[in-house]
């Protein structure tokens, strides 16, 4: 699609994040299998369910806007998932692995926060109040996931990973 209007850009970005969510739904179970922290595993599995609902919300947005959200590959998500796979194959200590998975998961969350923040603003600017509300709901879920990951990293995972590596 040729992007010439703000609406075109909005739809292209929706397609990109739709694909990002689809990639994440496929990757999260594989990533979670490599986690040793019960708290982290729980957060990743809960976020998988949330991500599935977010994708359904995007389907609803596509219906509201009368556009198909397929046909675009999200290169940013592909890169983050590839990074997670590489770390999983390279790191042998499970405690360090958990810290690495949180790091990549937060990169993913930050990408999604930036994207959904922008999309929420675009929907507002384009007068799409219902779409704006749906996107804002997802934005808040992504912010909450990021905060949960930070809590787990700071309270449990990072201190354990540091001890595993022999401290400072």
């Amino acid at each position: 699609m040729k992007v010439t209007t703000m609406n075109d850009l909005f739809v292209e970005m929706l397609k990109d994040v739709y694909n990002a969510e689809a990639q994440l739904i496929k990757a999260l179970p594989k990533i979670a299998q490599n986690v040793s922290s019960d708290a982290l595993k729980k957060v990743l599995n809960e976020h998988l369910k949330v991500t599935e609902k977010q994708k359904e919300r995007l389907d609803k947005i596509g219906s509201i806007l009368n556009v198909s959200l397929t046909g675009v590959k999200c290169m940013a998500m592909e890169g983050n998932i590839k990074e997670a796979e590489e770390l999983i194959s390279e790191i042998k200590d499970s405690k360090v692995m958990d810290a690495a998975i949180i790091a990549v998961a937060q990169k993913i969350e930050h990408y999604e926060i930036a994207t959904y923040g922008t999309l929420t603003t675009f929907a507002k600017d384009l007068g799409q109040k219902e779409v704006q509300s749906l996107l804002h709901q997802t934005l808040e879920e992504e912010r909450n996931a990021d905060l949960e990951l930070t809590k787990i990293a700071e309270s449990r995972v990072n201190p354990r990973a540091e001890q595993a590596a022999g401290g400072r």
Side-chain angles (χ1 to χ4, degrees), residues 148-159:
E148 265 314 296
L149 289 167
T150 297
K151 266 198 289 188
I152 292 169
E154 291 176 350
S155 68
R156 297 182 178 122
V157 171
N158 292 354

Side-chain angles (χ1 to χ4, degrees), residues 120-162:
T120 300
T121 300
F122 284 3
K124 179 183 176 195
D125 294 344
L126 293 167
Q128 294 287 344
K129 290 186 181 194
E130 183 179 4
V131 172
Q132 177 188 354
S133 176
L134 293 168
L135 291 167
H136 183 76
Q137 183 179 349
T138 299
L139 174 60
E140 289 304 312
E141 290 167 349
E142 300 299 359
R143 286 177 175 156
N144 289 336
D146 182 51
L147 291 173
E148 265 314 296
L149 289 167
T150 297
K151 266 198 289 188
I152 292 169
E154 291 176 350
S155 68
R156 297 182 178 122
V157 171
N158 292 354
R160 286 179 48 211
E162 186 178 341

Side-chain angles (χ1 to χ4, degrees), residues 8-28:
D8 294 344
L9 178 59
F10 181 56
V11 171
E12 281 301 297
M13 288 185 68
L14 284 168
K15 289 178 178 184
D16 184 75
V17 79
Y18 185 82
N19 180 261
E21 299 294 15
Q23 288 184 53
L24 192 55
I25 288 167
K26 188 175 177 184
L28 266 175

